[in-house]
Amino acid sequence: MAAGRCLLPAIPLLALSFFAEFCNGGKVGVCYGRNADDLPTPDKVADLIQLHSIKYVRIYDANIQVLKAFANTGVELMVGIPNSDLLAISQFQSNADTWLKNNILPYYPATTITYITVGAEITESPINVSSLVVPAMTNVHNALKKVGLHKRIVVSSTHSLRVLSRSFPPSAGAFDSKYASFLKPMLEFLAEIQSPFMIDLYPYYAYRDSSGNVSLDYALFEPSSDVIDPNTGLVYTSMFDAQMDAIFFALMALNFRTLRVVVTETGWPNKGSAKETAATVDNAQSYNSNLIRHVINDTGTPAKPREEIDVYIFSLFNENRKPGLESERNWGLFYPDQTSIYSLDLTGKGKVDAVTGANISSSNGTWCVASANASEQDLKNALDWACGSGNVDCSAIQPSQPCFQPDTLASHASYAFNSYYQQNGVTDIACSFGGAGVRTTKDPSYDNCNYVTSGKVNNANSTAPLSTPSTAESSASSPGIDALFLLLLVLHLILFESLFVEIKFLGGCHLYSMADIL
């Protein structure tokens, strides 16, 4: 056996896709906050999340309606225990047992729960609860252990970047000594149960508060002047990576080198006050699009290249009851009516520009969508007209069709308005609808629902094949020819050792040649 390798039995070529799934990079989730009075019901939110292929969701409590709504969806939930509950759970094991019995066990495993976060950003809490966190985490973990779920549901706690006393240069990253009394025991506990350290990272705040020292492009993952760590010589092209490495170096300084780090909140606001000039839709789209691509591509950081990093984008909706500056209420990916604030491919698998490598989220054209300021009656009247006298093909927004979900008036009206707009000259008048329509340069398409541009109206959401293959074409893909092609391909791969396939095996990604596998 070669050093550092495990011998595998012969694997058919067609099975390689199975192994490829293990090396897909980090995961991207979304935070589902509910500090608002205008949000859709949890069951509609669960539908929206599935519609947009979101697989990982963080919630901040154990709300019964939310847990029920996600039953049998396959979405993996990170469930939170608020700081206000830490005292009771930390004092007695029986309280943790009861919390688990009442809040998790009735809904698990129909509702997939993978994490329980015990407390959130405790260093930011107006009431000092830091001494309660580790005892509470221990009790929750013990409660899970009693019912045999401690290896299926992971316990941790989330932190603000302010847990560091220094974050620049990244190699000087260090935890604040005033938090040592709870941090050291917590890190020891996390290492013991093999749980990740969780951190909330916001390059937006670092840029907003130090715009004279930090470039906007650097904060947005856009091409910018490189930042070099003078101690290590490592080159940083994004603030996110610099903040991540500051955490890694702080952990290494305390000899916790193997702890994984999960980013439980990050994002960019889509709107702000007059002084918050960087809080815009375009910047929010740029940051989150670049973040997703960075994570999905398994890029890692300069200090830990190829490190898998899981992130949760904050947040699903704008939340109108949050206090503070205007930006605090505008971090959402969606409006409360479930329409997208901007186009974002949350799977990271959208079309990619062959030259720049960037995900394509809009075309050079314009689209027409329902105005957020239009009344429900105006939208209904305009929708009825577009699908009637306006001669728009509205079959795509019928039940079971690609654009039916989300089943909202605004979403259906947006699809119909755009179809009419594209068919009638792409003019201001064609997008008027009595003030109910508004033009946008952001492609509102999502998943299998394609918002057409001029000249592509008829087949935008067609599920039928464009043409029927001829007899000759059909015979070219017969089983005999496929088998011969496959055999030749296998022989070719064996002869040319330069082609490698990544396989994650026993916790790590290693390079294996095709000859090793076959």
Side-chain angles (χ1 to χ4, degrees):
M1 179 180 296
R5 292 188 177 183
C6 294
L7 292 181
L8 300 176
I11 302 171
L13 184 64
L14 295 179
L16 294 179
S17 60
F18 170 82
F19 288 97
E21 290 296 316
F22 286 90
C23 282
N24 281 345
K27 300 173 182 176
V28 178
V30 177
C31 299
Y32 170 23
R34 305 193 313 281
N35 195 357
D37 56 19
D38 56 356
L39 299 185
T41 58
D43 58 326
K44 290 184 178 179
V45 172
D47 290 339
L48 177 71
I49 282 171
Q50 292 180 89
L51 177 67
H52 289 273
S53 302
I54 301 170
K55 302 297 183 184
Y56 311 95
V57 171
R58 179 188 176 191
I59 60 176
Y60 293 82
D61 53 18
N63 181 275
I64 294 174
Q65 284 72 35
V66 173
L67 294 176
K68 286 182 176 180
F70 281 94
N72 303 311
T73 62
V75 175
E76 297 184 13
L77 292 187
M78 177 183 291
V79 175
I81 296 178
N83 293 343
S84 57
D85 293 344
L86 293 182
L87 178 60
I89 291 179
S90 67
Q91 284 184 324
F92 302 103
Q93 179 63 54
S94 59
N95 289 342
D97 296 343
T98 300
W99 181 88
L100 188 71
K101 180 181 178 181
N102 293 339
N103 294 281
I104 300 297
L105 298 184
Y107 315 105
Y108 184 90
T111 298
T112 306
I113 299 167
T114 54
Y115 287 105
I116 296 175
T117 56
V118 182
E121 293 194 346
I122 52 177
T123 57
E124 307 299 307
S125 174
I127 302 173
N128 187 0
V129 294
S130 59
S131 63
L132 307 176
V133 176
V134 176
M137 290 171 65
T138 302
N139 287 344
V140 172
H141 179 73
N142 288 339
L144 289 167
K145 201 169 185 178
K146 288 180 180 180
V147 295
L149 294 178
H150 60 294
K151 293 185 178 180
R152 295 177 179 269
I153 300 177
V154 177
V155 175
S156 191
S157 184
T158 69
H159 305 278
S160 160
L161 189 61
R162 291 183 187 177
V163 75
L164 298 184
S165 60
R166 186 173 181 181
S167 60
F168 187 83
S171 60
F175 289 109
D176 196 320
S177 58
K178 67 185 176 185
Y179 302 132
S181 60
F182 82 87
L183 262 177
K184 189 71 182 299
M186 174 183 287
L187 294 173
E188 290 172 347
F189 179 71
L190 295 177
E192 178 186 348
I193 66 172
Q194 299 181 344
S195 182
F197 181 79
M198 295 182 165
I199 190 75
D200 298 343
L201 295 184
Y202 285 104
Y204 168 74
Y205 290 126
Y207 171 77
R208 186 193 69 182
D209 299 338
S210 303
S211 58
N213 301 320
V214 177
S215 76
L216 180 60
D217 286 340
Y218 183 64
L220 293 173
F221 292 91
E222 298 288 353
S224 62
S225 299
D226 295 339
V227 175
I228 301 175
D229 188 316
N231 300 325
T232 61
L234 293 173
V235 178
Y236 290 87
T237 58
S238 74
M239 184 180 293
F240 178 88
D241 280 354
Q243 292 180 339
M244 280 296 298
D245 274 356
I247 294 293
F248 287 137
F249 278 108
L251 289 169
M252 286 189 283
L254 296 179
N255 205 29
F256 292 97
R257 298 175 177 272
T258 60
L259 275 183
R260 285 187 62 240
V261 175
V262 171
V263 179
T264 39
E265 284 184 16
T266 190
W268 198 279
N270 57 69
K271 182 181 179 182
S273 61
K275 294 182 178 180
E276 297 177 291
T277 57
T280 67
V281 168
D282 286 344
N283 287 343
Q285 182 184 41
S286 294
Y287 179 84
N288 286 325
S289 295
N290 291 333
L291 170 75
I292 292 169
R293 188 162 57 250
H294 186 63
V295 170
I296 294 296
N297 290 347
D298 200 16
T299 307
T301 67
K304 287 202 171 186
R306 304 292 292 169
E307 178 83 1
E308 290 184 9
I309 300 172
D310 297 344
V311 303
Y312 288 77
I313 295 175
F314 187 86
S315 65
L316 192 62
F317 296 107
N318 286 342
E319 298 174 70
N320 65 5
R321 295 181 62 186
K322 294 191 70 176
L325 295 174
E326 181 70 13
S327 63
E328 291 299 311
R329 293 174 287 282
N330 292 282
W331 290 79
L333 304 178
F334 299 93
Y335 292 112
D337 66 2
Q338 302 179 65
T339 56
S340 299
I341 296 175
Y342 49 87
S343 178
L344 186 67
D345 174 23
L346 286 157
T347 67
K349 298 177 181 177
K351 294 180 180 179
V352 176
D353 187 283
V355 177
T356 66
N359 285 74
I360 299 172
S361 56
S362 64
S363 71
N364 291 327
T366 58
W367 293 261
C368 180
V369 295
S371 170
N373 298 321
S375 70
E376 188 169 317
Q377 188 59 51
D378 287 344
L379 287 180
K380 184 178 185 304
N381 292 340
L383 174 62
D384 291 343
W385 182 87
C387 295
S389 302
N391 294 317
V392 168
D393 179 3
C394 292
S395 59
I397 55 176
Q398 300 306 308
S400 302
Q401 296 304 305
C403 302
F404 178 70
Q405 294 290 349
D407 183 14
T408 65
L409 185 59
S411 179
H412 291 177
S414 291
Y415 180 84
F417 290 2
N418 182 67
S419 295
Y420 180 85
Y421 171 71
Q422 303 296 343
Q423 291 172 195
N424 291 276
V426 198
T427 64
D428 287 334
I429 294 177
C431 187
S432 173
F433 296 98
V438 61
R439 295 210 296 181
T440 178
T441 58
K442 304 298 182 183
D443 187 351
S445 302
Y446 57 90
D447 299 328
N448 294 323
C449 180
N450 298 314
Y451 276 61
V452 296
T453 52
S454 297
K456 299 180 181 178
V457 175
N458 293 333
N459 296 318
N461 289 288
S462 173
T463 56
L466 296 178
S467 62
T468 303
S470 65
T471 304
E473 289 172 330
S474 299
S475 65
S477 59
S478 65
I481 298 298
D482 283 346
L484 178 59
F485 174 78
L486 183 60
L487 178 59
L488 291 173
L489 178 61
V490 170
L491 291 173
H492 175 78
L493 294 176
I494 292 174
L495 289 172
F496 293 89
E497 282 281 325
S498 59
L499 181 62
F500 291 86
V501 175
E502 284 187 318
I503 298 177
K504 176 177 283 186
F505 191 68
L506 297 178
C509 278
H510 303 283
L511 291 177
Y512 289 80
S513 70
M514 288 301 301
D516 291 329
I517 296 171
L518 298 171

